Amino acid sequence: MLINADQLTSFATDVFLAAGAPDENARLVAEHLVEANLKGHDSHGVGMIPAYVNNILTGLLKPDARANVVSDKGAVLVVDGQFGFGQVVGRQATALGIARARELGVACVGSRNNHHLGRIGAYGEQCAAAGMVSVHFVNVVGHDPQVSPWGGRERRMTTNPFCAVVPRPGTWPIVLDMATSAIALGKVRVAHNKGVDVPAGALVDHEGKPTTSPKVMFSEPFGSLGPFGEHKGYGLAVLCELLGGGLAGEWTAQPENLRSHHIVNHMFMLIVDPAAFGGLEKFQSEVTAMVDYLHSTTPAAGFDKVRIPGEPEQETRARRLVEGIEIDESSWAGIVKAAQRAGLADAASYGS
Ligand code: NAD
């Protein structure tokens, strides 16, 4: 079905309110999820509602938790999300880091114990809106791993996202925001719900043989997702695990740590005020000139144009704001069921 972004936001807000979230938190989470749908990342959009509702009802996700500063060493802050909505406590940790970077020129924030942070680009965009450059290394724990290391067959990590953002004067920022697995697990879930295959090269079955069937991630015998970019993507995933999980969160995917049905994200953030380098205008003019130079490249065969990171999301957003957001039947049925579980009795009438 096709649904307009405002209607979807108000529906998602109602679901989180029914599940016991305070007004502001319900709205923030709903806006974050719908923004992910608008930007084309349905894997991190309202399709996460069933998992969030389940985790609220089982006590794993604390819908009213706030971020708590546990250590403040000037340029280095450690902030505990206390298993609140990542979209709320991660945002609060990012705001603290931005304020500190404005004061000192740089801030390094360990944002730990967040429930799912969703689309990591949101925190980068928050930094860019304040004129900051930022880098984010995130690990994902609390459940069994899904991603095999390069050259390995068994699952050892998760889809550990990496993000880096550069603001641009007067326009949207450059946003590199990606899972370090060949594709995001949520995209495998969306393909599974739609009953379609995933692109070749992303999955292996339980024997380590390549497959395009998303089933291997959801039913036994389990296969695994591989890293993107062979050994290079794997290397970046390891850094997300060690900086996000080891340093910021003190909780990596190694088997002695808790694995239940939780979704916990730890994020290592480096936030830099480009003005502290002393040449803000020159930096901005170099960014603009370089982006123009990249855009002027003649497209290769099979491509319509050369884009910069973050541009596909801007294009999809512009289109979906006009055309609406497409949600497949199976995902919508799961969302409505979760909404009813949360206590939204008339959930089935939304979107009809
Ligand atoms: P993707 O592969 O769609 O895009 C990755 C990056 O490549 C983006 O920055 C995009 O702008 C850029 N890009 C894509 N096509 C391009 C082109 N033609 N030219 C230039 N740049 C281009 O993203 P993904 O790896 O599927 O990740 C999806 C989302 O999942 C991200 O928002 C990520 O933060 C999120 N995620 C979250 C978690 C979590 O636990 N919170 C885990 C994994 C992923």
Side-chain angles (χ1 to χ4, degrees):
M1 66 169 218
L2 262 184
I3 183 162
N4 145 307
D6 288 342
Q7 280 174 313
L8 193 54
T9 306
S10 97
F11 169 70
T13 305
D14 288 349
V15 176
F16 294 124
L17 286 173
D23 288 11
E24 197 194 339
N25 293 4
R27 182 86 198 165
L28 269 175
V29 180
E31 283 172 356
H32 176 117
L33 295 180
V34 173
E35 185 67 16
N37 286 109
L38 281 173
K39 289 198 159 119
H41 294 297
D42 295 331
S43 53
H44 289 72
V46 294
M48 291 304 298
I49 288 176
Y52 288 14
V53 166
N54 185 63
N55 286 357
I56 292 172
L57 298 180
T58 55
L60 293 172
L61 163 54
K62 317 282 181 213
D64 54 354
R66 290 189 59 78
N68 181 36
V69 177
V70 290
S71 162
D72 181 346
K73 300 248 187 309
V76 181
L77 288 166
V78 181
V79 182
D80 195 316
Q82 308 190 95
F83 305 109
F85 283 117
Q87 291 85 351
V88 173
V89 291
R91 200 178 161 76
Q92 289 167 350
T94 306
L96 291 168
I98 291 170
R100 199 52 65 87
R102 208 182 292 294
E103 196 186 317
L104 302 175
V106 64
C108 188
V109 182
S111 168
R112 63 173 55 159
N113 296 332
N114 307 294
H115 188 263
H116 192 238
L117 285 162
R119 193 179 64 88
I120 306 306
Y123 311 94
E125 286 159 4
Q126 187 185 345
C127 293
M132 304 288 159
V133 169
S134 67
V135 185
H136 310 249
F137 292 86
V138 179
N139 85 328
V140 189
V141 283
H143 50 75
D144 290 336
Q146 305 117 349
V147 178
S148 47
W150 173 242
R153 201 181 277 199
E154 288 128 16
R155 303 168 172 205
R156 288 288 183 265
M157 290 187 286
T158 60
T159 54
N160 292 356
F162 170 81
C163 173
V165 170
V166 173
R168 293 193 295 156
T171 186
W172 46 269
I174 295 163
V175 181
L176 174 63
D177 173 27
M178 60 193 198
T180 52
S181 48
I183 54 176
L185 182 70
K187 289 189 176 161
V188 186
R189 188 191 70 235
V190 171
H192 189 241
N193 287 346
K194 284 185 178 165
V196 298
D197 279 357
V198 300
L203 298 173
V204 291
D205 67 14
H206 65 289
E207 292 177 325
K209 293 188 187 135
T211 176
T212 53
S213 168
K215 243 195 279 177
V216 300
M217 296 306 293
F218 302 100
S219 49
E220 293 193 53
F222 290 117
S224 71
L225 252 172
F228 86 93
E230 305 184 338
H231 54 289
K232 301 182 191 185
Y234 164 57
L236 193 54
V238 172
L239 282 167
C240 287
E241 195 61 42
L242 300 182
L243 297 181
L247 199 53
E250 298 177 352
W251 179 353
T252 64
Q254 60 95 0
E256 282 182 21
N257 286 330
L258 174 80
R259 288 179 186 173
S260 53
H261 294 286
H262 215 328
I263 320 176
V264 179
N265 281 180
H266 304 297
M267 174 160 62
F268 173 94
M269 274 187 279
L270 197 57
I271 304 174
V272 178
D273 184 353
F277 281 72
L280 185 60
E281 276 182 30
K282 183 62 181 147
F283 169 65
Q284 290 175 336
S285 76
E286 283 296 315
V287 169
T288 304
M290 191 62 213
V291 168
D292 290 347
Y293 187 46
L294 293 169
H295 273 150
S296 74
T297 317
T298 309
F303 288 83
D304 61 336
K305 66 184 247 199
V306 166
R307 293 169 172 82
I308 53 165
E311 195 164 356
E313 284 79 3
Q314 292 297 331
E315 291 171 346
T316 307
R317 185 176 196 280
R319 198 175 58 248
R320 289 189 170 185
L321 274 175
V322 176
E323 293 173 1
I325 294 164
E326 172 82 46
I327 301 182
D328 67 86
E329 296 298 319
S330 159
S331 300
W332 185 249
I335 293 167
V336 168
K337 204 163 147 202
Q340 286 163 338
R341 253 189 101 197
L344 199 65
D346 61 346
S349 65
Y350 283 81
S352 57

